[in-house]
Each structure stands twice: as C-alpha cells, then as structure tokens.
Amino acid sequence: MKVFNDLADFSNDEIQALLELSNRLDAYPEPQALRGKVLSLLFLSPSLRTLASFQAAMTRLGGGSFVISPDMSIHGLETRPGIVMDGAAAEHIREAVPVIASYGDAIGIRAFAERKNLEKDMAEQEFAALTGLIDTPYINMESAMNHPCQNLADWKTMDDLDIPSNGGKFVLSWAYHPKALPLAVPASTLYTAARRGMDVTVLRPEGFELPEPLMQKASEAAAANGGSVTESDDRSEAMEGAHVIYAKSWSSTRHYGDRLKDQELRNELVDWCVDEPWFDNARDDCRFMHCLPVRRGVVVSEPVLDGPRSVVIPEARNRMLAQMAVLHQMLGGTS
Ligand code: CP
C-alpha cells in the first residue's frame, strides 16, 4: 500500500484484511514489526486522537515518529501559492513538506478544508497540492472530505459490537455546535456506513443537506453492498429501529463559506442535541457514536454520552488499532 486516502480506493477484501490485521495486532502484539521505520506526521490542523494514536501505533510496532505543526517552534509556514514572502512566515510548504517527508518512510498529513468554496473543497485541491509535493507513501489524517482512519476505526467498532452490516440501520445525524465545522467526517462516515451495506439515514435540518455527489457516491456503494441511503429531517422517523446514531455537526451547505448566514441558521437549531428521548423509536440497544472531540450538553447530553449507549471511548481506541494495520501494510511489517 502506497496511499491510504479514501476507503473508496479499497476493495471489500482489502478492507476486511485491514480489519482482521487490526484485530490480530491487538490480540498478538508485534513490537518489532516496524523496527527502524519512521513515520513523519504533519498537522496543519489541530488534533488530540490522531496525533496521539499515530505515535502510539508506531511505538507499539517498534518504529518511531515525529510531529510537525505550525504551533511548534518552527519558522512560520506559508501555504499560499505564488506569494511574495515578505510577511511573518519564513518557510513555504513547498520546501517544508518534502523535507519533512524525506525524514520518514511514510508521512501522515492533516489539513482541514478551507471552507470558502464547496466545489474546491470537494475536489480536495488543498490536500492534492500537498501530496503532489512528495513521492513517499502517505496517509490522509483528515482532509476536506476524507477521514479514512476514523472510518476504518468506526467500521471496526461496529464489527466489535456485532452491529449488523446488511440489515443494520445507521443514522448519521447533524447536531448543533456553535461553529461551522468541516464536512470530512459526515461525508466519509456516510460513505463508510453505506459501503458496509447498512441502511443509512442522513438526519439533518433544512440547509444542512449533504452535497448531492456525496449522497450519490454513498447510494451507489450501499446498492452494491445490500444497503440503502435516505435522508430526512424527521427525527422520530429517522430513528425508528436504529442500531446506531452517529452524531456530528457540519457547516450549512446552503450557506457554505458564509459564516454569518450559517450562524443565523444554526442559532435556531440548538435543540439538535442528542438526548435520551431521541431513542424512543430506536432499538433498545441503539448505540451512540461520535468521532470526538464532542461538546457535552451541546452536541449530546451528558446522560447519553456517559451512559451505556455510548461507545466513544472504544471507538477512539480503535483509531490506534486501525492505524496499526494501515502502517503494518504500508511499511512492510514483519512479524
Ligand atoms: N476524531 C479525531 O480525528 O480526533 P482528533 O481531531 O482529536 O484527531
């Protein structure tokens, strides 16, 4: 494997192989598998889980890693193309990225969407500009529309809980958040649940519809794997018989790039906080998933987050295990 960028790039057999490898590495650790290997980690956007879980994954496999982010004591990173660098930043990503990549055997890159132009973000122009600077194997640690490490961990989490693929009902729900957040998690989570063959409902208020190309991509993946994709703004209807609710806030697609109009719209939606009454129509054992970080009492109530439905902690631990499998394959792990 040279690139881990999008689950859509992998066959069902390849995804299953990664999931099986992650389970094997959990049960039977391989502390020498990546001895002498180095992973470069470039964070152009903030992180807790991705930062810590990649470092832990490399250490558990016997390799090493280093982290670079703009918040560190570096020279100030310029990202704009064609700029005359007479401002604060003394280093351009055109040099920084290949230099960082050259120190490792693979590189992980995180760069959130600019969130000014939906078409540009959907085309992944920024991430492609970064990966175009390197020829080392790379891992997408979250870009404008993708978060494949989260997706693989979420798939494993549902497998671990025996949540059915075919016949399993997955509700991807928008939730209130005071800020307009990127589309990477909802877009790639929608695809993942559809690809797993689940019956997926996107529950969202008007103005927060996911873009049609993403719905189409997910519908095709669902159809090919025995599932389906629908959308609704009716909470009770959407939650009927649900095995999982996966909550996430995202930017208004109606007002993408217009923070003020987005804010006006979301200010009316503070009741989109997942709470126990949401589960009235769901299965008794319906689970609550979220990629974290999550705002308590805003996105989800404390009783749900701290209660038996919530699987957010094992879901976050699975990030490390899923990434161990990716790194093992990418860096030629030996048992
Ligand atoms: N879920 C996730 O990617 O978490 P971080 O943003 O903390 O890395």
Side-chain angles (χ1 to χ4, degrees):
M1 184 200 300
K2 282 273 288 178
V3 169
F4 189 69
N5 183 52
D6 184 344
L7 280 198
D9 298 336
F10 295 86
S11 69
N12 286 351
D13 284 349
E14 288 169 332
I15 292 171
Q16 284 308 321
L18 283 167
L19 292 166
E20 282 164 23
L21 180 54
S22 67
N23 290 334
R24 191 186 91 201
L25 292 171
D26 192 20
Y28 305 102
E30 295 186 16
Q32 299 293 324
L34 297 185
R35 194 170 169 202
K37 303 283 185 183
V38 174
L39 177 67
S40 319
L41 295 166
L42 173 61
F43 284 90
L44 297 175
S45 311
S47 172
L48 185 155
R49 275 142 294 275
T50 308
L51 178 68
S53 60
F54 263 110
Q55 291 178 294
M58 277 305 280
T59 303
R60 284 177 183 271
L61 291 170
S65 60
F66 68 90
V67 177
I68 297 291
S69 82
D71 294 338
M72 301 167 85
S73 179
I74 58 174
H75 302 285
L77 270 183
E78 179 58 68
T79 57
R80 290 169 291 180
I83 191 89
V84 175
M85 290 174 57
D86 56 359
E91 179 134 31
H92 201 281
I93 53 164
R94 288 190 66 85
E95 289 78 50
V97 173
V99 166
I100 294 164
S102 75
Y103 298 143
D105 300 284
I107 183 169
I109 301 177
R110 167 170 281 200
F112 288 175
E114 219 180 18
R115 273 170 295 147
K116 289 182 182 158
N117 180 303
L118 183 55
E119 280 177 14
K120 187 177 164 207
D121 287 347
M122 288 191 48
E124 294 278 19
Q125 287 183 7
E126 270 189 275
F127 198 74
L130 293 169
T131 56
L133 297 169
I134 53 171
D135 53 16
T136 18
Y138 70 84
I139 297 170
N140 181 329
M141 300 197 300
E142 190 171 337
S143 61
M145 293 291 151
N146 271 309
H147 198 352
C149 300
Q150 184 68 52
N151 304 146
L152 192 62
D154 289 341
W155 192 315
K156 173 170 160 45
T157 303
M158 288 189 277
D159 284 357
D160 291 349
L161 294 165
D162 292 326
I163 291 170
S165 46
N166 294 128
K169 180 162 181 185
F170 186 97
V171 177
L172 171 64
S173 180
W174 187 87
Y176 175 74
H177 189 285
K179 293 183 184 167
L181 298 182
L183 289 174
V185 169
S188 58
T189 300
L190 165 64
Y191 177 80
T192 302
R195 179 66 186 275
R196 197 169 174 267
M198 302 182 81
D199 294 318
V200 184
T201 300
V202 181
L203 172 62
R204 83 292 172 275
E206 286 192 23
F208 292 86
E209 297 80 1
L210 289 176
E212 185 51 35
L214 299 180
M215 294 295 289
Q216 186 63 30
K217 177 181 170 185
S219 292
E220 286 167 14
N225 290 283
S228 63
V229 173
T230 56
E231 60 184 325
S232 174
D233 60 4
D234 183 327
R235 202 172 291 162
S236 175
E237 174 192 82
M239 287 296 292
E240 186 156 6
H243 289 79
V244 182
I245 179 170
Y246 194 113
K248 187 72 185 79
S249 195
W250 61 82
S251 299
S252 165
T253 44
R254 184 186 293 166
H255 300 304
Y256 200 80
D258 186 335
R259 296 282 162 94
L260 286 178
K261 285 198 171 147
D262 178 302
Q263 198 70 52
E264 271 175 30
L265 194 56
R266 74 178 52 239
N267 284 348
E268 304 297 315
L269 299 166
V270 289
D271 67 322
W272 282 69
C273 172
V274 179
D275 202 355
E276 198 54 39
W278 285 44
F279 295 87
D280 284 353
N281 280 354
R283 287 172 55 94
D284 289 344
D285 60 355
C286 181
R287 304 296 189 148
F288 174 81
M289 294 179 74
H290 191 286
C291 62
L292 303 182
V294 70
R295 289 186 182 228
R296 288 174 171 258
V298 174
V299 168
V300 57
S301 70
E302 282 215 329
V304 172
L305 188 57
D306 295 335
R309 298 188 184 285
S310 175
V311 296
V312 298
I313 303 302
E315 184 182 357
R317 180 172 185 269
N318 278 337
R319 289 290 307 275
M320 178 183 73
L321 298 170
Q323 290 156 198
M324 284 166 71
V326 171
L327 291 165
H328 196 285
Q329 282 202 0
M330 183 171 275
L331 296 174
T334 50
S335 303

